[in-house]
């Protein structure tokens, strides 16, 4: 069938020529597939073609890869942020536990010192804990968790493991108020351990947590570093307890007397546990004889009997 000059013949156009071309193309394709399957003749061609087509594949997959990488980066950043937050919380918790362990160790050490002081003193003492601190800058007082129901009385001395802290000035049913040595209204008779000089240590009026020794004769031998101990005068504080250490000595305005400042021996601003001293009953009656443990039984009784005179003939 003839075609008009303006018409175009296609592969699948009707007619015998088109059908024949289709059959030829199909036969050629089948032959090429069989030959390629049997002899792998087109493998090199496919390899070179893949090299040319691979960039197109990568370019087509680039948006999907970018989206996947973005999701992965966001997820990784979120996971890292969450992990970092957990690690910071774990670090803070570990630091808090470490600080608490350090505080407990320090408290255990203070309690051990108090226990050793109690054993070494050989006195009747009662342990108490600090409950509150008087915030008045003109006073130096604390509140402890022992009161009248626990046998606390006004005037009772209070010490820690290092020395005298003060005395009880107010007693409530289950608490008591303690005036510290550094209170401006407190005074304690002391002795300079090195020279035996007796004087009185007052609380510092300038709220410096110090002790002030005034009206010391200029001829007295007082040096920086001298230890102060309680003299026992007045009957309030037992003798021999550490009170403080001289840190400064200077003449007063008149030039006739000297004034000294001392640092308290007790941990006034750091102690959280204290000891209350109780008066010990004085023994009455004759002193009991000491028994020698190495002597045989009955030897002390025999020795205590008066010697009988031998009969004379």
């Amino acid at each position: 069938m003839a075609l008009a000059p303006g018409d175009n013949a296609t592969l699948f156009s009707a007619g015998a020529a088109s059908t024949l071309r289709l059959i030829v193309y199909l036969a050629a394709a089948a032959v090429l597939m069989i030959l390629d399957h049997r002899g792998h003749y087109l493998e090199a061609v496919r390899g070179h073609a893949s090299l040319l087509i691979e960039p197109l594949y990568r370019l087509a997959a680039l948006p999907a890869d970018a989206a996947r990488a973005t999701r992965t980066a966001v997820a990784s950043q979120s996971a890292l942020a969450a992990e970092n937050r957990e690690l910071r919380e774990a670090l803070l918790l570990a630091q808090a536990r470490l600080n608490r362990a350090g505080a407990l160790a320090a408290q255990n050490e203070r309690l051990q010192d108090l226990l050793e002081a109690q054993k070494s003193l050989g006195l009747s003492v009662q342990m108490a804990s600090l409950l509150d601190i008087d915030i008045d800058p003109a006073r130096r007082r604390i509140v402890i968790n022992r009161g009248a129901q626990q046998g606390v009385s006004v005037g009772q001395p209070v010490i820690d493991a290092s020395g005298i802290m003060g005395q009880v000035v107010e007693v409530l049913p289950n608490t008591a108020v303690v005036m510290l040595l550094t209170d401006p209204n407190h005074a304690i008779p002391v002795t300079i351990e090195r020279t035996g000089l007796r004087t009185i240590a007052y609380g510092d009026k300038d709220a410096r947590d110090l002790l002030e020794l005034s009206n010391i004769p200029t001829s007295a031998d007082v040096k920086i570093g001298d230890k102060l101990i309680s003299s026992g005068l007045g009957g309030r504080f037992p003798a021999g307890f550490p009170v403080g250490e001289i840190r400064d000595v200077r003449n007063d305005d008149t030039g006739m007397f000297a004034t000294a400042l001392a640092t308290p021996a007790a941990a006034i601003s750091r102690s959280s546990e204290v000891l209350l001293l109780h008066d010990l009953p004085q023994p009455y009656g004759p002193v009991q004889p000491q028994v020698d443990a190495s002597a045989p039984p009955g030897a002390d009784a025999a020795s205590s009997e008066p010697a009988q005179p031998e009969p004379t003939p």
Side-chain angles (χ1 to χ4, degrees), residues 2-249:
L3 297 174
D7 296 337
N8 293 325
T10 61
L11 179 62
F12 299 100
S13 62
S18 299
T19 303
L20 181 59
R21 285 197 300 270
L22 177 59
I23 294 173
V24 172
Y25 292 153
L26 293 176
V31 171
L32 290 175
M33 288 189 294
I34 294 173
L35 292 176
D36 182 55
H37 181 69
R38 297 285 182 90
H40 304 287
Y41 297 109
L42 299 178
E43 184 175 358
V45 177
R46 284 198 302 274
H48 291 294
S50 65
L51 293 177
L52 297 176
I53 298 174
E54 183 178 2
L56 299 178
Y57 287 157
R58 293 183 179 275
L59 183 61
L62 185 61
D65 293 340
R68 187 181 305 108
T70 302
R71 290 194 301 270
T72 303
V74 172
S76 299
Q77 185 177 3
S78 301
L80 289 176
E83 184 179 1
N84 191 16
R85 183 171 57 254
E86 292 177 359
L87 290 176
R88 284 200 306 269
E89 292 176 356
L91 179 61
L92 291 176
L93 181 59
Q95 187 67 33
R97 289 177 176 173
L98 182 61
N99 293 336
R100 186 170 184 268
L104 291 177
Q107 182 181 13
N108 187 27
E109 184 177 357
R110 291 194 301 269
L111 293 175
Q112 186 68 27
D113 293 339
L114 286 177
L115 182 61
E116 292 178 358
Q118 178 180 354
K119 292 180 179 179
S120 61
L121 291 175
L123 299 176
S124 175
V125 297
Q126 181 180 11
M127 184 174 293
S129 298
L130 183 68
L131 286 182
D132 195 8
I133 300 174
D134 193 342
I135 60 175
D136 188 348
R139 302 196 302 180
R140 292 291 183 269
R141 302 187 181 188
I142 60 175
V143 180
I144 58 176
N145 65 342
R146 294 291 184 269
Q149 295 185 2
Q150 289 77 34
V152 179
S153 59
V154 174
Q156 197 167 350
V158 179
I159 68 171
D160 69 355
S162 302
I164 296 177
M165 288 190 64
Q167 60 178 305
V168 177
V169 293
E170 183 180 356
V171 177
L172 299 175
N174 292 299
T175 59
V177 179
V178 177
M179 178 189 294
L180 300 177
L181 290 180
T182 53
D183 189 287
N185 296 319
H186 193 278
I188 176 174
V190 297
T191 300
I192 298 180
E193 187 177 24
R194 181 176 60 87
T195 62
L197 176 67
R198 290 190 296 269
T199 183
I200 297 178
Y202 299 91
D204 184 29
K205 297 180 178 59
D206 296 330
R208 292 174 294 182
D209 283 338
L210 297 176
L211 300 174
E212 182 178 349
L213 288 74
S214 58
N215 299 328
I216 301 176
T218 55
S219 59
D221 184 12
V222 180
K223 297 180 180 179
I224 295 177
D226 282 345
K227 306 292 184 181
L228 302 177
I229 59 175
S230 56
S231 64
L233 297 179
R236 178 70 68 187
F237 298 95
F241 280 87
V243 175
E245 180 179 341
I246 301 293
R247 58 174 290 179
D248 185 28
V249 180

